[in-house]
Amino acid sequence: MQGSFTYKNKPLMYLTALLFIAAAFAWIYSSKSIDILIGSFLLYLFLELYFMNLRGNFKATSTGVVFRFAFSSRSIPFSEIEYADCEVKQSVLWRGMSVSYRAELIIKTKSEVFTVDDAFEVSTDDVLNNRKAYEEKLAAHQFTRLAEYINSHIHINKMV
């Protein structure tokens, strides 16, 4: 089983926000050149938008799951996994403006909780009023299927 997804690189998003704050402080305590502030804000927006939707992919084999990200990869053998689950998280782009949903794959290992998220195309109307359509979309999402695949292989490994 394999697939691709878009993910948010949260550490890099936080780093870009800190860089913008540092540039704002530099602007406050410097010659007050508006170019520094505008340039840093534009750089911040570019980096924020770039790091919001990075491409990644995964491949599940008979021994484990490998996630490949823009800058690294992560391999998790089934022997280390306790369980996997898929949850839907709501994210608001701007307060009161736009609501989107993300499917979050949660893999609990013996030493940590590994999470990765992907866009989940569902309307708020489906979530609130059309539960059947919502459940069908969630069951068909690649992270739900991957969690089921992982859990079935964990069960097989525990029996052996």
Side-chain angles (χ1 to χ4, degrees), residues 49 87 128 151:
L49 292 173
E87 294 180 359
L128 297 176
N151 288 330

Side-chain angles (χ1 to χ4, degrees), residues 23-43:
F25 277 114
W27 175 74
I28 290 169
Y29 293 111
S30 71
S31 62
K32 306 267 189 225
S33 172
I34 196 72
D35 296 340
I36 294 172
L37 187 62
I38 292 173
S40 64
F41 181 70
L42 292 175
L43 179 64

Side-chain angles (χ1 to χ4, degrees), residues 25-73:
F25 277 114
W27 175 74
I28 290 169
Y29 293 111
S30 71
S31 62
K32 306 267 189 225
S33 172
I34 196 72
D35 296 340
I36 294 172
L37 187 62
I38 292 173
S40 64
F41 181 70
L42 292 175
L43 179 64
Y44 165 72
L45 283 179
F46 171 76
L47 292 174
E48 187 74 19
L49 292 173
Y50 177 77
F51 290 126
M52 277 178 60
N53 294 308
L54 293 174
R55 300 291 301 160
N57 60 54
F58 65 86
K59 184 174 183 179
T61 64
S62 60
T63 58
V65 185
V66 177
F67 292 91
R68 296 199 192 286
F69 304 102
F71 305 114
S72 64
S73 67

Side-chain angles (χ1 to χ4, degrees), residues 2-156:
Q2 60 187 14
S4 62
F5 56 94
T6 58
Y7 68 98
K8 296 179 180 182
N9 193 322
K10 292 174 185 167
L12 289 176
M13 286 173 63
Y14 296 142
L15 179 64
T16 60
L18 287 174
L19 289 174
F20 174 68
I21 291 169
F25 277 114
W27 175 74
I28 290 169
Y29 293 111
S30 71
S31 62
K32 306 267 189 225
S33 172
I34 196 72
D35 296 340
I36 294 172
L37 187 62
I38 292 173
S40 64
F41 181 70
L42 292 175
L43 179 64
Y44 165 72
L45 283 179
F46 171 76
L47 292 174
E48 187 74 19
L49 292 173
Y50 177 77
F51 290 126
M52 277 178 60
N53 294 308
L54 293 174
R55 300 291 301 160
N57 60 54
F58 65 86
K59 184 174 183 179
T61 64
S62 60
T63 58
V65 185
V66 177
F67 292 91
R68 296 199 192 286
F69 304 102
F71 305 114
S72 64
S73 67
R74 173 75 194 273
S75 178
I76 307 172
F78 289 134
S79 60
E80 294 291 316
I81 300 174
E82 293 180 4
Y83 70 88
D85 194 15
C86 181
E87 294 180 359
V88 176
K89 304 283 182 169
Q90 185 183 63
S91 67
V92 179
L93 185 58
W94 293 101
R95 187 178 174 128
M97 296 287 281
S98 175
V99 176
S100 64
Y101 297 91
R102 300 205 53 89
E104 182 177 69
L105 176 68
I106 303 161
I107 299 176
K108 170 76 169 88
T109 68
K110 295 176 182 175
S111 61
E112 68 176 316
V113 176
F114 175 80
T115 61
V116 65
D117 63 6
D118 186 23
F120 183 55
E121 301 298 329
V122 66
S123 69
T124 303
D125 185 53
D126 284 345
V127 173
L128 297 176
N129 300 322
N130 192 354
R131 223 35 201 180
K132 184 175 181 180
Y134 169 76
E135 297 290 336
E136 287 173 356
K137 287 180 183 178
L138 182 59
H141 194 276
Q142 64 182 352
F143 281 172
T144 302
R145 291 181 293 130
L146 179 58
E148 290 170 355
Y149 181 85
I150 291 169
N151 288 330
S152 69
H153 278 72
I154 293 169
H155 182 69
I156 291 170

